[in-house]
Amino acid sequence: METGRSDGACCSSRSEGAVRHQCLRSRGRRRIGDAEGTAGGARESLIAEVNAGRPAASCQTLHPPNPAAKAPGRRARPALWLLVLAAHAASCSAQASTSFSGERDYYSKLVTLPSNVYGEVKKTGPMPAHRYDDKLFNHTTFRDWLMRGVVLHEDVGPGEAPMSYKCGVFVNHNYKLIFIRNRKAASTTVLDTFKVACKSQSKLLCMRPFDSEEMTKRGLTHDEMWKSYYVISSTRNPWARAASGYDYTQDRWPVKTGVCANIPFRQFCEDPYLMGKMANLFRCGTQSSFRGDDAWAYDFYHVEPAHHCMTDASGSGLSVDFLIRYEHLHQDFAKLLEILNRRRDPELPEIRNTRMRWMKQGVHVQQAKSGASAGSATAGAADGEGPGAAAAGGGAGGAAMWREDAAALVSADRHAVRYRDCGMECVRHVAKFFSKDMEVMKLALPEGAAS
């Protein structure tokens, strides 16, 4: 429980706002919260361990009148006190909104900045086989790093953590294509598009998970295959990807009470691996919702940096031929199909452009799509700005394409809200975690975020 901060500071603290951190709760309510059990204390202890050295924030509660201090014979008026609480909360919310209104555009733009490296790029070398071949990938390195740093409290150094899981590589030997699946970057959508084409156009278009035995049967080595095949992957804004990973992992936990309830986004930004640590140490989800030997790594590899799966052995050169931007999915995919059809064997059927369906959309994208199709974006289109303008159609690719992309970008506004609440501290933490990804995408820390 956080105490000791002024009401004004409470109002201006947006991510750990008045209601969320019980800034406006009564003393009796705080005592109930303190009695929730040792599980909650264990969670707070872990968060403190993970983020050692960060001073705890505090907030002054607004206390209800003490019934014992009332004049004899006067009745307590809890309803009136609830009205006071509501008014105070509304005042805090209004002040926070007013003081931050000028920064809304900044955070909305922040989470939709696309990679500056996209389309057809120069492949400087193959991805090392041990990053994607399950027979060569070292599954113990990350677990050892985790054990030493979290359980044994050893100094693992300031360097980046090892890969928690292999890169997801899919291959089409007919068209000589390789697709690298970067999580939370529309990779499921791209794969599903090939899957639909495989069913509706030709079985020759199917993408299969990498199989070393199939590769060997075709007389290829890892590096030979990588150099001669056309390699594709996708990128996504690191701040949006981090927030999406936060939502995705926590939303899938079947246990959302006690120690597994409401992990603060601010704490996640300081250590995006926090979700995986919580899931494994407190069995929030890995034991019951995910299966297989790699279940323990699920909440790690959905947030970890993606540069390992886009670079060569040096870590600085690219191991891909084409990069699709999440923020311009349809536009980039249409360009990709043009290239694939130009370089295909003439005896293979042409790949027709089929409508892409956003997979794992979530309720925010679905609501945005419904609003766009119902014409609710007309006002934004008339002004020529905002998500409504894109959702209304127009531009290359047709109305349906832009409506689909706009719906995905509308979902990013939920991520903007998180950073708007959390502030520049969270922006800087995420930028540090994904610093090598940002180097690959040539994204700089935005103006105003530098420490």
Side-chain angles (χ1 to χ4, degrees), residues 46 49-50 142-156 271 273-274 276-278 280-282 300:
L46 173 65
E49 294 273 353
V50 172
F142 182 83
R143 280 180 284 187
D144 290 344
W145 174 87
L146 195 64
M147 178 69 72
R148 290 175 55 208
V150 177
V151 179
L152 302 179
H153 301 288
E154 295 180 2
D155 183 7
V156 294
D271 178 12
Y273 286 135
L274 179 62
K277 295 173 183 178
M278 297 294 296
N280 280 275
L281 290 176
F282 298 107
F300 290 110

Side-chain angles (χ1 to χ4, degrees), residues 174-352:
N174 301 306
Y175 285 81
K176 296 186 176 181
L177 299 178
I178 294 174
F179 178 70
I180 309 169
R181 184 175 191 176
N182 283 333
R183 284 96 182 178
K184 311 312 300 173
S187 60
T188 302
T189 299
V190 174
L191 281 175
D192 185 73
T193 302
F194 277 104
K195 180 179 179 181
V196 170
C198 172
K199 292 181 178 180
S200 63
Q201 297 184 36
S202 171
K203 296 293 184 183
L204 297 174
L205 284 168
C206 294
M207 300 287 286
R208 310 289 187 190
F210 169 77
D211 185 339
S212 59
E213 294 182 1
E214 177 66 22
M215 177 188 71
T216 303
K217 286 180 182 178
R218 294 175 179 271
L220 296 169
T221 65
H222 292 86
D223 287 357
E224 288 172 346
M225 180 189 72
W226 210 273
K227 290 176 181 178
S228 60
Y229 283 30
Y230 199 76
V231 185
I232 309 157
S233 192
S234 59
T235 64
R236 186 178 185 180
N237 175 282
W239 291 280
R241 181 170 174 254
S244 178
Y246 168 81
D247 288 336
Y248 181 75
T249 54
Q250 190 164 225
D251 287 349
R252 288 176 63 91
W253 286 355
V255 180
K256 294 182 172 66
T257 58
V259 68
C260 302
N262 299 323
I263 308 299
F265 183 66
R266 181 183 298 275
Q267 302 286 358
F268 165 83
C269 289
E270 293 183 10
D271 178 12
Y273 286 135
L274 179 62
M275 310 305 290
K277 295 173 183 178
M278 297 294 296
N280 280 275
L281 290 176
F282 298 107
R283 302 170 66 92
C284 298
T286 53
Q287 301 299 323
S288 55
S289 59
F290 315 123
R291 298 176 181 176
D293 294 337
D294 64 331
W296 67 272
Y298 193 88
D299 290 341
F300 290 110
Y301 65 69
H302 274 88
V303 299
E304 72 180 353
H307 65 89
H308 298 288
C309 301
M310 295 188 288
T311 55
D312 59 15
S314 71
S316 56
L318 290 173
S319 61
V320 299
D321 295 289
F322 195 97
L323 284 172
I324 302 169
R325 297 166 295 176
Y326 174 97
E327 298 80 11
H328 299 281
L329 177 64
H330 289 80
Q331 177 184 345
D332 291 352
F333 193 78
K335 180 65 177 177
L336 171 65
L337 290 187
E338 292 178 8
I339 295 172
L340 297 183
N341 280 320
R342 284 201 307 266
R343 66 181 302 279
R344 67 184 169 86
D345 186 325
E347 296 184 1
L348 293 172
E350 181 179 357
I351 308 173
R352 299 194 304 273

Side-chain angles (χ1 to χ4, degrees), residues 369-379 403:
K369 290 177 65 176
S370 298
S373 61
S376 63
T378 305
R403 186 173 294 117

